[in-house]
Every structure is written in structure tokens, then in C-alpha cells.
């Protein structure tokens, strides 16, 4: 990795960066998934009997080639039979939920991976038909069907199939348009491919097209990022997710193929992030949460204005449901009572399901304290503020009394201008937004009371 240089980056001082840019959870859940443990007879799915709406997630782990930056649970293969057989197991797993969620409308469906569009069109139809037999799927107005797609392999015919099946949101993994960067991560994808798919998806009536971009990749620099952003802006996606590349080669084997010397330094990465926010902001995109952007009319932007932004394992989202059922290897589900996660490895998952067993291997049972902190962290991450009166209504004692330790942890952030408070709210400042994970972490009971082997990604 490159040497850090002493500088002031976009108004963030070296002191702030050294104090707050280190490893910290991303809070796609609370408690964080590294805390999950064997359930030993505990059944957090029992609360499914009380729900009135459901999110459904299906994990399709297959990809045709390995991207070196990848941190997803995926299987690189050219044997299509693996995917077809996996689908049988997913549909078998889905049967387990038949009675538990009978008559509950699915308000949000997401296919993630891996590469969900690895599935053939006929298997995509088979998946949706199988799910429809078990879950209350009613695609159409007000229901969000989204899918992650790899622009290198997505066919126009598949777009037709997806629309026909009710998908209305498409997320394209763009990452970066620069050929040198693409070579260094083993993911060559031309701007023409992305352009063709974007135009075709719009013609077919996809309501929202989202691009995933990454900064901090090997060989990236400020000018290559600007060129990528200019191409992105030509195509005007409705949403952009701009993720920070977290280089964790001890955790993700694929990342060992990346030449560490080519990765921009933390200072350069911060400069890229700040420049990207400015670039996208000038082009009219709204900055949501800590890493999402949306055009002003997009539902995600509207949800943010209405204080309805949510955060889940896919990042920022809208359309909250009472529970999430995740199907497939490593998928996580949650209900009011807690979380449960499937076996991670494809072989273990298919073996368990094939033997008629549950694929659930670990999870977490929530208590009232967890639920309170889950809500507090969600408010900070999604709304960038915390209404202390609402907290007091829930706990029945003064905020300062209940959260005295947390306020002590927050004090340096007050002193550094990352947050401020009035009589009603704790508010994250523009500068504090970069470090909102640190602000949320002050309320993470387990981070401060229990050891973990987890290696969190850096904040910046
Ligand atoms: S980045 Fe996406 S396409 Fe590439 S290996 Fe990972 S999951 Fe597969």
C-alpha cells in the first residue's frame, strides 16, 4: 500500500482521519453478524406468525469469473448444472416457510449474489414460479422486485424475462470504467455494454436503475475516478452506490491476487470519496446515508426526505417489511425476535437441505435492549440524527441517565464537531457523516463489552 502523505483532505484534518478512520462495523444489522452464535433450540423465526408484510431475499452464489476485489459469498464455475441443482435446494428450503408466512404479502423481493443473472431464463422462471407457490408474490405497483446483474454477461432477452416476471429495479455492478483498473481487478466491462443495458432496461420499463461503483481499487486515482463518474453521469442512473474497497486479504482469498502496492493510500481514498460526493452533488444527485446517491425524484431520495430510509444487508433501502426471509447459502433472515443465518458453503447448505434438515447454523435472539439499540443505530445511520425524546418514550427514563456511558464515548465526537445536540436531538454534522459508523458504534453494547475475532473494514 502507498505511503500516507501529510495533508488536509477535503477539509478533513489528518487528526480527524487518524482518530476515526480505522476499522468499525458497517451496521447492516444490530447486533452485527459476527456476534451470531449457535441457536441451541432458540427459534427467532417464531415471530413470523405475527407479521403483516415480508421481504424476501434469494442468494444465487454463482459467477463465471473471479473479480479480485470480491468479498461476496460466491462460487466461480462454468458448470451450469450446479446452479440448476442449487435452485432445487432453494425451493426445497422455501417450503419450510410455507406455513410460517401463509397469506403474508411480499412487499420487497431481492435477488443477490454472486450473480443472480447467472441463472438461465428458464430457471429464473422456475425460481419465481416456485416462490409464488409458497409466498404471496404480487408483482406490480408499490412492490419492489430488484435484482443484481453483471453487465458483462446480462443478455437483452433476460431483461425481457425479468420484466415479464415483475422485476422493476435493476442493479448493475459497474465498479469502474477505467481499463487499467478493470485489468487489475480482473473485471473487463466496456462502457458500451453498460450503456446498451441501461437504455434497454429503461425501454423495457425498469423504474429504477442503480450502479454499484467502488473507490479505492488498485490503479485508481482522482482523474480516473472523474472520468468514470463523467461516463456514469452521461447515463444518469437513478441510484448510485459508491462503496469503499476494503482490502481484507486475510478474510477474502480473492483479494490476495491484488497487488497491495497498487492500492491507493487512505488519504488518496478519502480524497476520492470527497471528490465523488462533490462531483455527483454538482450533477444533481442527492447524497443519502453514508454511501448512496439518488436522483431527486427517485423513491430512495423521497424515502430519505420522509425519514423512511432503512438499512439492511443490501445497504440502504426503502419499503420496510415486518420481517425478512433469506433463502440460499449464507442468507440471513430476521424477525422482531432476532436473526438466523444459513450455512455459508454451497456444499454444506445443499447437503443439509438435501437431507431434509434445516440449513440454519447460527443467529441471535433479540431482547428489548437489543431492539432499542438497533433502532438508535438505525436512526443514526439512516436519518443522521437521533430524537432523544423518542428514546425516552421507549425507556421511561432520561436519555442522559440511560445512555451516560454512550454519551461519554460520544464526547470526543462532540468536541471534534462530528455531532452536536440540542434539547431534542443528537445531530450528525456534514463532517460527521463520514464517521457516522463511529457515532453508531458508541451505542453498540457488544462492541464495548465482548471480544470478537471479526476484522471490520476501515471507515475511510
Ligand atoms: S464481484 Fe460479483 S461477479 Fe465478481 S466474483 Fe464477486 S460476486 Fe461474482
Amino acid at each position: 500500500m502507498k505511503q500516507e502523505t501529510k495533508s488536509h483532505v477535503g477539509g478533513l484534518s489528518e487528526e480527524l482521519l487518524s482518530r476515526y478512520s480505522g476499522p468499525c462495523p458497517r451496521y447492516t444489522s444490530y447486533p452485527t453478524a459476527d456476534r451470531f452464535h449457535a441457536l441451541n433450540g432458540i427459534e427467532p423465526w417464531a415471530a413470523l406468525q405475527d407479521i403483516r408484510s415480508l421481504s424476501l431475499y434469494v442468494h444465487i452464489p454463482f459467477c463465471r469469473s473471479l473479480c479480485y476485489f470480491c468479498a461476496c459469498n460466491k462460487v466461480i464455475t462454468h458448470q451450469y448444472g450446479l446452479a440448476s441443482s442449487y435452485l432445487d435446494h432453494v425451493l426445497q428450503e422455501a417450503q419450510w416457510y410455507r406455513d410460517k408466512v401463509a397469506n403474508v404479502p411480499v412487499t420487497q423481493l431481492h435477488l443477490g449474489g454472486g450473480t443472480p443473472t447467472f441463472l438461465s431464463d428458464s430457471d429464473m422462471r422456475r425460481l419465481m414460479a416456485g416462490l409464488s407457490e409458497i409466498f404471496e408474490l404480487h408483482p406490480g405497483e408499490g412492490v419492489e422486485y430488484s435484482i443484481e446483474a453483471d453487465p458483462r454477461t446480462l443478455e437483452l432477452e433476460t431483461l425481457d424475462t425479468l420484466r415479464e416476471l415483475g422485476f422493476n429495479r435493476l442493479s448493475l455492478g459497474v465498479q469502474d470504467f477505467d481499463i487499467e483498473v478493470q485489468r487489475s481487478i480482473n473485471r473487463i466491462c466496456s462502457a458500451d455494454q453498460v450503456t446498451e443495458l441501461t437504455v434497454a432496461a429503461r425501454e423495457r420499463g425498469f423504474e429504477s436503475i442503480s450502479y454499484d461503483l467502488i473507490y479505492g481499487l488498485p490503479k485508481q486515482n482522482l482523474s480516473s475516478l472523474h472520468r468514470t463518474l463523467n461516463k456514469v453521469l452521461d447515463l444518469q442512473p437513478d441510484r448510485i452506490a459508491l462503496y469503499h474497497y476494503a482490502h481484507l486479504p486475510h478474510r477474502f482469498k480473492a483479494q490476495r491476487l491484488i497487488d497491495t502496492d497498487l492500492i491507493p493510500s487512505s488519504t488518496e481514498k478519502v480524497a476520492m470519496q470527497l471528490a465523488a460526493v462533490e462531483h455527483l452533488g454538482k450533477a444533481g444527485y442527492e447524497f443519502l446515508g453514508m454511501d448512496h446517491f439518488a436522483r431527486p425524484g427517485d423513491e430512495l431520495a423521497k424515502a430519505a426526505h420522509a425519514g423512511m430510509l432503512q438499512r439492511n444487508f443490501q445497504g440502504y433501502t426503502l419499503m420496510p417489511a415486518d420481517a425478512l426471509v433469506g433463502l440460499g447459502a449464507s442468507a440471513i433472515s430476521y424477525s422482531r425476535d432476532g436473526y438466523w443465518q444459513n450455512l455459508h458453503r454451497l456444499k454444506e447448505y445443499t447437503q443439509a437441505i438435501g437431507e431434509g434438515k434445516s440449513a440454519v447454523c447460527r443467529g441471535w435472539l433479540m431482547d428489548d435492549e437489543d431492539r432499542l439499540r438497533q433502532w438508535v443505530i438505525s436512526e443514526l445511520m439512516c436519518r443522521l440524527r437521533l430524537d432523544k425524546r423518542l428514546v425516552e418514550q421507549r425507556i421511561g427514563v432520561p436519555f442522559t441517565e440511560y445512555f451516560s456511558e454512550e454519551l461519554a464515548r460520544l464526547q470526543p465526537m462532540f468536541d471534534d464537531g462530528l455531532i452536536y445536540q440540542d434539547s431534542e436531538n443528537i445531530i450528525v454534522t456534514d463532517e460527521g457523516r463520514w464517521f457516522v459508523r463511529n457515532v453508531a458504534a458508541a451505542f453498540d453494547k457488544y462492541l464495548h463489552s465482548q471480544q470478537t475475532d471479526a476484522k471490520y473494514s476501515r471507515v475511510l
Side-chain angles (χ1 to χ4, degrees):
M1 221 171 289
K2 288 188 184 167
Q3 283 269 299
E4 302 294 321
T5 51
K6 286 261 172 215
S7 65
H8 225 74
V9 187
L12 296 181
S13 68
E14 284 279 316
E15 287 73 26
L16 274 190
L17 290 170
S18 65
R19 223 170 284 156
Y20 300 108
S21 64
C24 189
R26 292 181 58 78
Y27 293 111
T28 49
S29 70
Y30 180 80
T32 49
D34 55 287
R35 307 279 168 190
F36 295 176
H37 50 68
L39 284 168
N40 297 325
I42 295 164
E43 298 185 352
W45 47 85
L48 289 177
Q49 65 186 9
D50 300 322
I51 62 170
R52 282 185 285 177
S53 58
L54 182 68
S55 276
L56 190 57
Y57 171 78
V58 185
H59 190 74
I60 309 290
F62 305 100
C63 306
R64 288 190 200 159
S65 61
L66 178 68
C67 310
Y68 297 164
F69 63 86
C70 184
C72 300
N73 179 25
K74 78 279 179 191
V75 174
I76 310 299
T77 185
H78 288 275
Q79 295 176 42
Y80 188 76
L82 271 183
S84 206
S85 148
Y86 175 78
L87 213 53
D88 297 338
H89 291 83
V90 166
L91 291 173
Q92 194 176 330
E93 186 197 358
Q95 293 288 351
W96 190 69
Y97 289 97
R98 183 183 281 276
D99 298 333
K100 297 177 177 62
V101 296
N103 304 320
V104 178
V106 172
T107 53
Q108 188 177 47
L109 168 79
H110 184 77
L111 266 52
T115 309
T117 49
F118 185 94
L119 294 181
S120 66
D121 288 8
S122 62
D123 270 340
M124 191 65 80
R125 287 179 204 281
R126 185 160 72 89
L127 171 65
M128 295 304 292
L131 293 176
S132 307
E133 283 175 17
I134 297 158
F135 299 98
E136 284 289 322
L137 288 176
H138 298 293
E141 191 75 7
V143 180
E144 184 180 297
Y145 275 26
S146 55
I147 184 164
E148 296 166 15
D150 182 342
R152 296 173 300 170
T153 54
L154 180 60
E155 304 285 346
L156 295 184
E157 294 71 32
T158 300
L159 281 180
D160 291 327
T161 305
L162 292 172
R163 276 301 290 142
E164 193 190 308
L165 292 170
F167 286 89
N168 48 17
R169 296 179 190 277
L170 181 70
S171 172
L172 295 175
V174 172
Q175 325 310 356
D176 191 300
F177 280 124
D178 186 272
I179 186 66
E180 287 303 316
V181 176
Q182 292 187 355
R183 280 200 189 106
S184 70
I185 56 173
N186 196 37
R187 189 182 169 100
I188 309 288
C189 177
S190 75
D192 287 349
Q193 283 170 296
V194 177
T195 305
E196 185 186 23
L197 288 168
T198 303
V199 171
R202 287 219 172 93
E203 284 170 1
R204 284 156 176 79
F206 280 86
E207 290 161 27
S208 178
I209 297 167
S210 172
Y211 289 178
D212 283 355
L213 304 177
I214 303 182
Y215 71 93
L217 290 171
K219 293 208 171 175
Q220 241 178 0
N221 54 43
L222 267 178
S223 42
S224 74
L225 185 67
H226 274 295
R227 285 194 299 275
T228 288
L229 289 176
N230 282 336
K231 274 187 196 156
V232 166
L233 291 174
D234 285 346
L235 298 171
Q236 289 283 300
D238 303 278
R239 298 177 193 172
I240 297 167
L242 177 69
Y243 297 118
H244 163 217
Y245 170 59
H247 190 59
L248 300 168
H250 48 281
R251 264 180 71 191
F252 305 111
K253 225 169 145 188
Q255 296 184 354
R256 293 176 206 161
L257 296 164
I258 285 185
D259 183 346
T260 312
D261 288 339
L262 300 178
I263 298 173
S265 69
S266 290
T267 309
E268 286 168 321
K269 283 195 245 182
V270 174
M272 282 183 207
Q273 188 183 31
L274 295 173
V277 169
E278 197 183 343
H279 200 123
L280 294 172
K282 277 187 186 152
Y285 280 81
E286 294 195 21
F287 185 20
L288 314 176
M290 52 177 203
D291 47 22
H292 277 50
F293 301 81
R295 285 162 69 178
D298 187 84
E299 293 297 321
L300 204 65
K302 287 190 207 159
H305 287 299
M308 302 290 286
L309 207 59
Q310 300 283 314
R311 190 158 170 78
N312 68 9
F313 298 103
Q314 278 78 53
Y316 289 98
T317 177
L318 64 163
M319 305 237 0
D322 294 339
L324 164 76
V325 163
L327 301 172
S330 73
I332 298 177
S333 306
Y334 71 76
S335 71
R336 191 177 185 281
D337 280 357
Y339 298 89
W340 59 105
Q341 182 171 25
N342 282 348
L343 288 158
H344 195 268
R345 289 177 189 275
L346 178 71
K347 199 169 160 199
E348 291 169 353
Y349 167 81
T350 51
Q351 188 172 337
I353 298 289
E355 290 172 0
K357 297 179 190 159
S358 165
V360 174
C361 62
R362 57 193 206 126
W364 186 273
L365 193 70
M366 304 281 278
D367 59 20
D368 285 343
E369 173 87 16
D370 290 334
R371 277 188 276 273
L372 170 68
R373 289 173 187 271
Q374 179 190 47
W375 179 79
V376 165
I377 287 174
S378 168
E379 288 290 290
L380 288 166
M381 297 292 290
C382 297
R383 301 187 63 211
L384 302 171
R385 64 171 56 221
L386 177 64
D387 188 327
K388 293 181 282 186
R389 293 164 311 169
L390 291 179
V391 177
E392 286 171 350
Q393 280 170 22
R394 290 173 80 126
I395 57 181
V397 291
F399 183 90
T400 46
E401 194 180 302
Y402 194 88
F403 282 128
S404 59
E405 280 179 29
E406 287 72 11
L407 285 167
R409 280 186 212 120
L410 289 174
Q411 193 54 52
M413 296 179 230
F414 281 116
D415 296 342
D416 286 329
L418 305 187
I419 46 177
Y420 67 95
Q421 62 180 334
D422 54 26
S423 59
E424 294 167 4
N425 292 290
I426 292 176
I427 298 153
V428 180
T429 64
D430 284 349
E431 207 163 55
R433 188 173 187 148
W434 304 109
F435 307 108
V436 65
R437 287 158 68 176
N438 305 68
V439 181
F443 293 90
D444 182 343
K445 183 170 114 183
Y446 303 106
L447 190 68
H448 301 284
S449 65
Q450 291 177 9
Q451 291 290 322
T452 178
D453 292 334
K455 300 270 189 294
Y456 302 118
S457 61
R458 292 178 64 83
V459 169
L460 284 174

